[in-house]
Amino acid sequence: DELGYLPMSRQARYNLFQLVNALYEYRSVIITTNKEFTAWGEFFHDDNVVVPIVDRLIHHSHIFIMGGESYRLRQKRQG
């Protein structure tokens, strides 16, 4: 839910790559983020890691681009 909220450490990038790589072609993966793939380098700080992760995520994928107001902000205004 918060991918891209904070920069990722080197170990976190490695762990995410290992997870995506292990699941690739075997399991479904759902990732939500408010960052476009082209902006992932900002929080990964390493395009050499971003490219293979994105490559595996988008292969055989269905990408849903959703917009609108934040659910949390809407709840806060109503409550």
Side-chain angles (χ1 to χ4, degrees):
D1 181 37
E2 301 298 334
L3 185 61
Y5 179 68
L6 296 172
M8 297 182 76
S9 69
R10 185 170 194 236
Q11 185 64 47
R13 293 189 303 261
Y14 174 79
N15 291 343
L16 181 61
F17 172 77
Q18 291 300 317
L19 176 65
V20 169
N21 193 50
L23 297 174
Y24 176 62
E25 303 247 19
Y26 294 102
R27 298 283 187 256
S28 298
V29 176
I30 296 175
I31 293 181
T32 62
T33 180
N34 63 348
K35 303 284 187 181
E36 297 179 13
F37 292 130
T38 57
W40 281 25
E42 295 172 16
F43 56 91
F44 275 96
H45 296 291
D46 187 352
D47 287 341
N48 292 328
V49 175
V50 174
V51 172
I53 289 175
V54 171
D55 183 58
R56 285 161 178 78
L57 289 174
I58 65 174
H59 188 228
H60 304 303
S61 72
H62 299 278
I63 299 172
F64 297 94
I65 299 173
M66 302 178 342
E69 186 178 21
S70 165
Y71 178 74
R72 292 179 186 116
L73 288 176
R74 187 173 66 225
Q75 261 189 333
K76 185 175 181 173
R77 284 190 210 128
Q78 292 173 353

